[in-house]
């Protein structure tokens, strides 16, 4: 069992979710509302994971785990939470082996193009979004990113080359 305090993490994540929810009230445009909604959905998932971990820790303390099933489940849940990433904007996935890419788990697109000059490989690129574009949510994201089990990715917009 990890010595990390998942109950405290649960409280922090719930606090961040409350801040995001309150901050969403002042949203004026759809982009900002979408960011808030995606962050709240990601925080919901992380909160559910911490609840499962705390429940498994409680079960491990209360019961005799001679066969190690609860310990294995607990370790798996901790690993799942550690790998969890909150994708706020567009997620770009590139398969360099097949020269294909896709955006937000959509259809795969071929990055190869050919003409009389030869073959060209053109993948879209990601462009960072500034804190001013994200607005007041940027402060909450930076505070949340300081946690051991809270990672955000995808604070980017895609630029198709």
């Amino acid at each position: 069992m990890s010595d990390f305090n998942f109950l405290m993490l649960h409280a922090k994540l719930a606090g961040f979710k409350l801040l995001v929810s309150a901050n969403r009230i002042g949203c004026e445009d759809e982009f900002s509302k979408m960011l808030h909604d995606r962050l709240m959905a990601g925080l919901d998932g992380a909160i559910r994971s911490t609840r499962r971990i705390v429940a498994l820790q409680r079960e491990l303390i209360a019961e005799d785990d001679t066969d190690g099933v609860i310990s294995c489940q607990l370790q798996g849940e901790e690993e799942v939470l550690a790998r969890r990433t909150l994708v706020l904007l567009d997620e770009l996935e590139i398969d360099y082996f097949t020269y294909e890419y896709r955006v937000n788990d959509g259809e795969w697109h071929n990055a190869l193009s050919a003409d009389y000059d030869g073959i060209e490989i053109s993948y879209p690129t990601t462009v960072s979004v500034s804190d001013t574009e994200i607005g007041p949510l940027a402060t909450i994201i930076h505070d949340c990113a300081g946690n051991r089990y809270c990672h955000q990715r995808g604070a980017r917009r895609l630029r198709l080359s």
Side-chain angles (χ1 to χ4, degrees):
M1 187 164 75
S2 172
D3 60 348
F4 186 78
N5 190 343
F6 287 98
L7 189 59
M8 182 64 76
L9 177 64
H10 180 273
K12 286 181 180 179
L13 292 173
F16 286 131
K17 183 182 174 204
L18 183 64
L19 284 172
V20 173
S21 179
N23 200 339
R24 189 184 187 285
I25 294 169
C27 292
E28 296 175 358
D29 59 351
E30 288 302 314
F31 175 72
S32 185
K33 288 178 183 177
M34 181 264 311
L35 278 179
H36 283 77
D37 292 343
R38 286 188 180 180
L39 183 55
M40 281 194 295
L43 289 171
D44 275 339
I47 289 168
R48 278 192 302 276
S49 290
T50 58
R51 281 186 190 143
R52 282 194 297 273
I53 290 170
V54 170
L56 286 169
Q57 286 177 336
R58 220 178 299 127
E59 192 176 335
L60 187 62
I61 291 170
E63 297 178 20
D64 188 26
D65 188 29
T66 55
D67 51 357
V69 173
I70 299 171
S71 297
C72 186
Q73 287 177 328
L74 181 60
Q75 182 181 2
E77 287 293 335
E78 287 179 12
E79 288 175 7
V80 166
L81 181 61
R83 285 192 219 126
R84 178 180 293 276
T85 302
L86 308 180
V87 178
L88 300 179
L89 291 175
D90 295 323
E91 182 175 22
L92 175 63
E93 186 178 354
I94 297 176
D95 185 349
Y96 292 103
F97 184 71
T98 62
Y99 303 105
E100 294 178 317
Y101 67 92
R102 68 179 175 175
V103 178
N104 297 330
D105 293 327
E107 292 183 24
W108 286 96
H109 301 281
N110 197 328
L112 292 172
S113 63
D115 60 10
Y116 62 91
D117 286 336
I119 297 174
E120 181 181 336
I121 303 171
S122 180
Y123 295 110
T125 58
T126 57
V127 179
S128 294
V129 176
S130 69
D131 287 352
T132 56
E133 289 178 289
I134 296 174
L137 193 59
T139 308
I140 299 170
I141 290 171
H142 291 302
D143 289 345
C144 187
N147 286 310
R148 174 177 169 188
Y149 284 96
C150 191
H151 311 284
Q152 290 91 19
R153 186 182 71 209
R156 315 208 179 285
R157 286 191 181 153
L158 292 179
R159 178 178 49 214
L160 298 174
S161 319

